[in-house]
Amino acid sequence: MPVEALDNELTEQRLFQLNEALNSGMFVHVRHMLHDMPASDVALILESSPPKTREVLWQLIEHNQAGSILEELGEELKDSFIMNMSPERVAKATAGMDTDDLAYVLRSLPDSIYQQVLQSMSSQDRLRVEHALSYPEDTAGSIMNNDTVTIRPDVTIDVILRYLRSRGSLPEATDTLYVVDRKDAFLGGIALSDLLTCDPNLSVKAVMNLDLEGIPVMMEDTDVAQLFERHDWISAPVISDNGKLLGRITIDDVVDIIREDAEHSMMGMAGMEDDADTFGPVLKSSFRRSMWLIINLFSAFLAASVSNMFEGTIEEFATLAILMTIVPSMGGVAGNQTLALVIRGIALGHIGKSNSRWLIGKELAIGFLNGVFWAAIVFGSVWMWRGDILLASLIAGAMLINMTVAGLSGAVIPIVLKKFNIDPALAGGMLLTTVTDVIGLFSFLGLATLFLMQ
Amino acid sequence: MPVEALDNELTEQRLFQLNEALNSGMFVHVRHMLHDMPASDVALILESSPPKTREVLWQLIEHNQAGSILEELGEELKDSFIMNMSPERVAKATAGMDTDDLAYVLRSLPDSIYQQVLQSMSSQDRLRVEHALSYPEDTAGSIMNNDTVTIRPDVTIDVILRYLRSRGSLPEATDTLYVVDRKDAFLGGIALSDLLTCDPNLSVKAVMNLDLEGIPVMMEDTDVAQLFERHDWISAPVISDNGKLLGRITIDDVVDIIREDAEHSMMGMAGMEDDADTFGPVLKSSFRRSMWLIINLFSAFLAASVSNMFEGTIEEFATLAILMTIVPSMGGVAGNQTLALVIRGIALGHIGKSNSRWLIGKELAIGFLNGVFWAAIVFGSVWMWRGDILLASLIAGAMLINMTVAGLSGAVIPIVLKKFNIDPALAGGMLLTTVTDVIGLFSFLGLATLFLMQ
């Protein structure tokens, strides 16, 4: 109940104390501090520390605590720790993990270590994880746990209550018991709250919820997340093609997917991988970002070669060079606004065949309206600044063209990319900027050549 | 259990059928279709429809269904519907809502209607909502519900079980009963799963979880969301400064906050409001985006005025104009990568006083490394293209300067904005682009003037 203990300030304070203790070499003290913290807090501290501090801290963490901390870490950091652990330690650390997390860890191991870790596991864990590994990544199967509590339809609630009492405890985040027949076919579920409030003499069949929907095991995890969000589920059963109950998905894993998904869009649009580690080593970070920069360099040289086509015009009128960055810049911003809106709409499942044409039309209209408005503003500004009404008209015309194109391509690019199964958050921004840069420069310098060079 | 019923294809299909029915004027049929769908699906269909279709559909929705559909809608669309409803209809629609959603609806009403809606409510609803409205928006208080089930510490579990059976049902997403004393002071909680598995002869005191932490009612909602994520909570009690139990927050509201938060960063960085409505009307959308464009216009004219300082140089060497867009463009992309990383780090609570200096140093180092690498690439490309080694050296020098500045400002800008309580996702991108444009042009044209104009 300590109210203050919930504040983020605390992490800040703990980080400070830990750093102090580390710097003065009080390793035993640090070890005690780490031991007394919940795994999620230790994970947060590791995520917030530079590489060197991380390594020292990781050494000081007790082996039996390692597994639960690994579960809470971001992907990139988790991978880097696992890579440096001995197969035995990995096996020990993962012994108590949820099946889905365990499968994740194994998936990220190099083949040689993978086999060794499997060998070091108890046969029960091995069976469990081999099952989970049989489903492809990013499907419902890969994030499901098999810790379901199942009951039969033809017993009374009273029998169930006595069974639960003899069982002694339930898996975490259990809010529903699942009803299956003799062949494990999924029939429905009973919420714990219903178990507690219904008449114990009724049969399971009479109380169970038949409307409970099972998630197909091969459904994409982002679709699973949308279902959870839409229906406010806490957990949901996962079923096979032939209706057998395979396991369940819990809201905590779904929250991770929602977070990752949303981050993916944001980081992707800025040309970063979504699991990029904020405090990762310099050289590695530098290398991983270069992909995006090389594409941008091509785009920039493409734009430069457009200007190059009009070298003669620029030579004669240097003022053009001064103003020529304005049109691409405005087009880029306007196009990116549309792009962000459409990418989010696609992620939320709002955009499909039936309405994408309407949406493209709407964004084209906004682009044109924006174009008229900003053409007028730019006309006024340039006229005032350079006192040249022809120049002002030229830039206004280019602005109208580029803003309209920006609106159109901001909507069309992500929808088309999606159709070809290319992630619009990753490729969309760069494609769009290339379009708005090229069209912006071409329309401005082209109009100028047409009207100034006679 | 219909497996296919879970697919997103279904919404697509339903949208199509609805549109068909609407277009052929089969309004009674549409009304039936809407009536048979869960509120969350109707909400999704409304979100995915153009304004005109929305209005028709909304007219066809039965009054008693309106409330639960409103709860599921995005903010912008929800507001627009509520604005056009009569106070009586708002009162009727909101009658069954959760307190937090009810408070949200009332907050978005104009004052005159607000009073009328309050008057049309039952006195019980009025009391409930006035309580909720007393907490500021974006605090734990504003997203909490007061449908907690509380028990006393000194009775036996058996008494509780009998009480629950006589009660007949529990509020949605109840996973824990809260233990309070006579003065409503929060003492702890018992999970439903523990109620089902423990010995019924034990007292509540003996079984209850004392480690359960209460959320301070004034805590920011984003901090609440971080706690839920870190601790995998399904619900959590909210307590007052003096330790009284006030209500509880459930994971479904937290999921909304996580989604909104992540979207806020993504949309904000592209200069869009995060609740922007994908299918909103053209004029409104156009107007709302202009704020960002006007700031960008200032930034673009600022950059143009930098080029203007070097008009003489450009007049003499038109090639400079052709190449001068490359340096700002690369700086912008590199800076935005750092910016996205740091904004996400701030949102996740990874960045604080103790590590921000290290982070800035790291990003400066990456910027410099990037600078060296891309300076070399650009040197080679420009030398090959224009065959001018001096020109190639000039652009390489400018690239080194601008990439270093980009890395530094990508980290410094969001951290400083955060310190002044300005949202880095909103203001960061534009500030950064202004810096990289100005420094990029200034360093390239400045170096050129220095070395070419003698």
Coordinates of all heavy atoms in Angstrom, one line a residue, chain B residues 288-332:
Chain B
R288 N -7.8 21.6 -39.7 CA -7.0 21.1 -38.6 C -5.6 20.8 -38.9 O -4.8 20.8 -38.0 CB -7.7 19.9 -38.0 CG -9.1 20.2 -37.5 CD -9.7 18.9 -36.9 NE -9.2 18.7 -35.5 CZ -9.6 17.7 -34.8 NH1 -10.6 17.0 -35.2 NH2 -9.1 17.6 -33.6
R289 N -5.3 20.6 -40.1 CA -3.9 20.3 -40.4 C -3.1 21.5 -40.7 O -1.8 21.5 -40.9 CB -3.8 19.4 -41.7 CG -4.5 18.1 -41.5 CD -4.4 17.2 -42.7 NE -5.3 16.1 -42.6 CZ -5.5 15.2 -43.5 NH1 -4.8 15.3 -44.6 NH2 -6.4 14.3 -43.4
S290 N -3.7 22.7 -40.8 CA -3.0 23.9 -41.3 C -2.0 24.4 -40.3 O -1.0 25.0 -40.6 CB -4.0 25.0 -41.7 OG -4.9 25.2 -40.6
M291 N -2.3 24.2 -39.0 CA -1.4 24.6 -37.9 C 0.0 24.2 -38.2 O 1.0 25.0 -38.2 CB -1.9 24.0 -36.6 CG -1.2 24.5 -35.4 SD -1.4 26.3 -35.2 CE 0.0 26.5 -34.1
W292 N 0.2 22.9 -38.5 CA 1.5 22.4 -38.7 C 2.1 22.9 -40.0 O 3.3 23.2 -40.0 CB 1.3 20.9 -38.9 CG 2.6 20.1 -38.5 CD1 3.3 19.3 -39.3 CD2 3.1 20.0 -37.2 NE1 4.3 18.8 -38.6 CE2 4.3 19.2 -37.3 CE3 2.8 20.6 -36.0 CZ2 5.1 18.9 -36.2 CZ3 3.6 20.3 -34.9 CH2 4.7 19.5 -35.0
L293 N 1.3 23.1 -41.0 CA 1.8 23.6 -42.3 C 2.3 25.1 -42.1 O 3.2 25.5 -42.8 CB 0.7 23.5 -43.4 CG 0.5 22.1 -43.8 CD1 -0.8 21.9 -44.5 CD2 1.6 21.6 -44.7
I294 N 1.6 25.8 -41.3 CA 2.0 27.2 -41.2 C 3.4 27.3 -40.4 O 4.2 28.1 -40.8 CB 0.9 28.1 -40.4 CG1 1.1 29.5 -40.9 CG2 1.0 28.0 -38.9 CD1 -0.2 30.3 -40.7
I295 N 3.6 26.5 -39.5 CA 4.9 26.4 -38.8 C 5.9 26.0 -39.8 O 7.0 26.6 -39.8 CB 4.8 25.5 -37.6 CG1 3.8 25.9 -36.6 CG2 6.2 25.4 -36.9 CD1 3.6 25.0 -35.4
N296 N 5.6 25.0 -40.6 CA 6.6 24.6 -41.6 C 6.9 25.7 -42.6 O 8.0 25.7 -43.1 CB 6.0 23.3 -42.3 CG 7.1 22.7 -43.2 OD1 8.2 22.3 -42.8 ND2 6.8 22.7 -44.5
L297 N 5.9 26.5 -42.9 CA 6.2 27.6 -43.9 C 7.2 28.5 -43.3 O 8.1 29.0 -44.0 CB 4.9 28.3 -44.2 CG 5.0 29.2 -45.4 CD1 5.2 28.4 -46.7 CD2 3.7 30.1 -45.6
F298 N 7.0 28.9 -42.0 CA 8.0 29.7 -41.4 C 9.4 29.1 -41.5 O 10.4 29.7 -41.8 CB 7.7 29.9 -39.9 CG 6.7 31.1 -39.7 CD1 5.4 30.9 -39.4 CD2 7.2 32.4 -39.9 CE1 4.5 31.9 -39.3 CE2 6.3 33.5 -39.7 CZ 5.0 33.2 -39.4
S299 N 9.5 27.8 -41.1 CA 10.7 27.1 -41.2 C 11.3 27.1 -42.6 O 12.5 27.3 -42.7 CB 10.5 25.6 -40.7 OG 11.6 24.8 -41.0
A300 N 10.5 26.9 -43.6 CA 11.0 26.9 -45.0 C 11.5 28.2 -45.4 O 12.5 28.4 -46.1 CB 9.9 26.4 -45.9
F301 N 10.8 29.3 -45.0 CA 11.2 30.7 -45.3 C 12.5 31.0 -44.6 O 13.4 31.7 -45.1 CB 10.1 31.7 -45.0 CG 9.3 31.9 -46.2 CD1 8.0 31.4 -46.3 CD2 9.7 32.7 -47.3 CE1 7.2 31.6 -47.4 CE2 8.9 32.9 -48.4 CZ 7.7 32.4 -48.5
L302 N 12.6 30.5 -43.3 CA 13.9 30.7 -42.6 C 15.1 30.1 -43.4 O 16.1 30.7 -43.5 CB 13.7 30.0 -41.2 CG 14.9 30.3 -40.2 CD1 14.9 31.8 -39.8 CD2 14.7 29.5 -39.0
A303 N 14.8 28.8 -43.8 CA 15.9 28.2 -44.6 C 16.2 29.0 -45.9 O 17.3 29.1 -46.3 CB 15.4 26.7 -45.0
A304 N 15.1 29.5 -46.5 CA 15.3 30.2 -47.8 C 16.1 31.5 -47.5 O 16.9 31.9 -48.3 CB 14.0 30.6 -48.4
S305 N 15.9 32.1 -46.3 CA 16.6 33.3 -46.0 C 18.1 33.0 -45.7 O 18.9 33.9 -45.9 CB 16.0 34.1 -44.8 OG 16.2 33.4 -43.7
V306 N 18.4 31.8 -45.3 CA 19.8 31.4 -45.2 C 20.4 31.3 -46.5 O 21.5 31.9 -46.8 CB 19.9 30.0 -44.5 CG1 21.3 29.5 -44.5 CG2 19.5 30.1 -43.0
S307 N 19.7 30.7 -47.5 CA 20.3 30.6 -48.9 C 20.4 32.0 -49.4 O 21.4 32.3 -50.1 CB 19.3 29.9 -49.8 OG 18.8 28.7 -49.2
N308 N 19.5 32.9 -49.0 CA 19.5 34.3 -49.5 C 20.8 35.0 -49.1 O 21.3 35.9 -49.9 CB 18.3 35.0 -49.0 CG 18.0 36.3 -49.7 OD1 18.1 36.4 -50.9 ND2 17.7 37.4 -49.0
M309 N 21.3 34.7 -47.9 CA 22.5 35.3 -47.5 C 23.7 35.0 -48.4 O 24.7 35.7 -48.5 CB 22.9 34.7 -46.1 CG 22.0 35.1 -45.0 SD 22.2 34.1 -43.5 CE 24.0 34.2 -43.2
F310 N 23.5 33.9 -49.2 CA 24.6 33.5 -50.1 C 24.3 33.6 -51.5 O 24.8 32.9 -52.4 CB 25.0 32.0 -49.8 CG 25.4 31.8 -48.4 CD1 24.6 31.3 -47.4 CD2 26.7 32.2 -47.9 CE1 25.0 31.1 -46.1 CE2 27.1 32.0 -46.6 CZ 26.2 31.4 -45.7
E311 N 23.3 34.6 -51.8 CA 22.8 34.7 -53.2 C 24.0 35.0 -54.2 O 24.0 34.4 -55.3 CB 21.8 35.9 -53.3 CG 21.1 36.0 -54.6 CD 19.9 36.9 -54.6 OE1 19.8 37.7 -53.6 OE2 19.2 37.0 -55.6
G312 N 24.9 35.8 -53.8 CA 26.1 36.1 -54.6 C 26.8 34.8 -55.0 O 27.2 34.6 -56.2
T313 N 27.1 33.9 -54.0 CA 27.8 32.7 -54.3 C 27.0 31.8 -55.3 O 27.6 31.3 -56.2 CB 28.0 31.9 -53.0 OG1 28.5 32.8 -52.0 CG2 29.1 30.9 -53.2
I314 N 25.7 31.7 -55.0 CA 24.8 30.9 -55.9 C 24.8 31.4 -57.3 O 24.9 30.6 -58.3 CB 23.4 30.7 -55.3 CG1 23.5 30.1 -53.9 CG2 22.5 30.0 -56.2 CD1 22.1 30.1 -53.2
E315 N 24.7 32.7 -57.4 CA 24.7 33.4 -58.7 C 25.9 32.9 -59.6 O 25.8 32.7 -60.7 CB 24.7 34.9 -58.6 CG 23.5 35.5 -59.2 CD 23.2 36.9 -58.7 OE1 24.2 37.6 -58.3 OE2 22.0 37.3 -58.6
E316 N 27.1 32.9 -58.8 CA 28.3 32.5 -59.5 C 28.4 31.0 -59.8 O 28.9 30.6 -60.8 CB 29.5 33.0 -58.7 CG 30.7 33.3 -59.6 CD 31.4 34.5 -59.1 OE1 30.7 35.5 -58.6 OE2 32.7 34.6 -59.2
F317 N 27.9 30.2 -58.9 CA 28.1 28.7 -59.0 C 26.7 28.1 -58.9 O 26.3 27.7 -57.8 CB 29.0 28.2 -58.0 CG 30.4 28.8 -58.0 CD1 30.7 29.9 -57.1 CD2 31.4 28.3 -58.8 CE1 31.9 30.5 -57.1 CE2 32.6 28.9 -58.8 CZ 32.9 30.0 -58.0
A318 N 26.0 27.9 -60.0 CA 24.7 27.3 -60.0 C 24.7 25.9 -59.5 O 23.7 25.4 -59.0 CB 24.1 27.4 -61.4
T319 N 25.9 25.2 -59.7 CA 26.0 23.8 -59.2 C 25.7 23.7 -57.7 O 25.1 22.7 -57.3 CB 27.4 23.3 -59.5 OG1 27.8 23.6 -60.8 CG2 27.4 21.8 -59.3
L320 N 26.0 24.7 -57.0 CA 25.7 24.7 -55.5 C 24.2 24.6 -55.3 O 23.8 23.8 -54.4 CB 26.2 26.0 -54.9 CG 27.7 26.3 -54.9 CD1 28.0 27.6 -54.2 CD2 28.4 25.2 -54.1
A321 N 23.4 25.3 -56.1 CA 22.0 25.2 -55.9 C 21.5 23.8 -56.1 O 20.5 23.3 -55.5 CB 21.3 26.2 -56.9
I322 N 22.1 23.1 -57.1 CA 21.6 21.7 -57.4 C 22.0 20.8 -56.3 O 21.2 19.9 -56.0 CB 22.3 21.3 -58.7 CG1 21.7 22.1 -59.9 CG2 22.2 19.8 -59.0 CD1 22.6 22.2 -61.1
L323 N 23.1 21.0 -55.7 CA 23.5 20.0 -54.6 C 23.1 20.4 -53.2 O 23.1 19.6 -52.3 CB 25.1 19.9 -54.6 CG 25.7 19.4 -55.9 CD1 27.2 19.4 -55.8 CD2 25.2 17.9 -56.1
M324 N 22.6 21.7 -53.1 CA 22.4 22.2 -51.7 C 21.3 21.5 -50.9 O 21.2 21.7 -49.7 CB 22.3 23.7 -51.7 CG 20.9 24.2 -52.1 SD 20.9 26.0 -52.1 CE 19.1 26.3 -52.4
T325 N 20.4 20.8 -51.6 CA 19.3 20.1 -50.9 C 19.7 18.8 -50.2 O 19.0 18.3 -49.4 CB 18.1 19.9 -51.8 OG1 18.6 19.2 -53.0 CG2 17.4 21.1 -52.2
I326 N 20.9 18.3 -50.7 CA 21.3 16.9 -50.2 C 21.7 17.0 -48.7 O 21.2 16.1 -47.9 CB 22.5 16.4 -51.0 CG1 22.0 16.2 -52.5 CG2 23.0 15.1 -50.4 CD1 23.1 15.8 -53.4
V327 N 22.4 18.0 -48.3 CA 22.9 18.0 -46.9 C 21.7 18.1 -45.9 O 21.7 17.4 -44.9 CB 24.0 19.1 -46.7 CG1 24.4 19.2 -45.3 CG2 25.2 18.8 -47.6
P328 N 20.8 19.1 -46.1 CA 19.7 19.2 -45.1 C 18.9 17.9 -45.1 O 18.4 17.5 -44.1 CB 18.9 20.4 -45.7 CG 19.8 21.1 -46.6 CD 20.8 20.2 -47.1
S329 N 18.7 17.3 -46.3 CA 17.8 16.1 -46.3 C 18.4 15.0 -45.5 O 17.7 14.3 -44.7 CB 17.7 15.7 -47.8 OG 17.3 14.3 -47.9
M330 N 19.7 14.7 -45.6 CA 20.3 13.6 -44.9 C 20.3 14.0 -43.4 O 20.1 13.1 -42.5 CB 21.8 13.4 -45.3 CG 21.9 12.9 -46.7 SD 21.3 11.2 -46.9 CE 22.6 10.2 -46.2
G331 N 20.6 15.2 -43.0 CA 20.5 15.6 -41.6 C 19.1 15.4 -41.0 O 19.0 15.0 -39.9
G332 N 18.1 15.8 -41.8 CA 16.8 15.6 -41.3 C 16.4 14.2 -41.0 O 15.9 13.9 -40.0

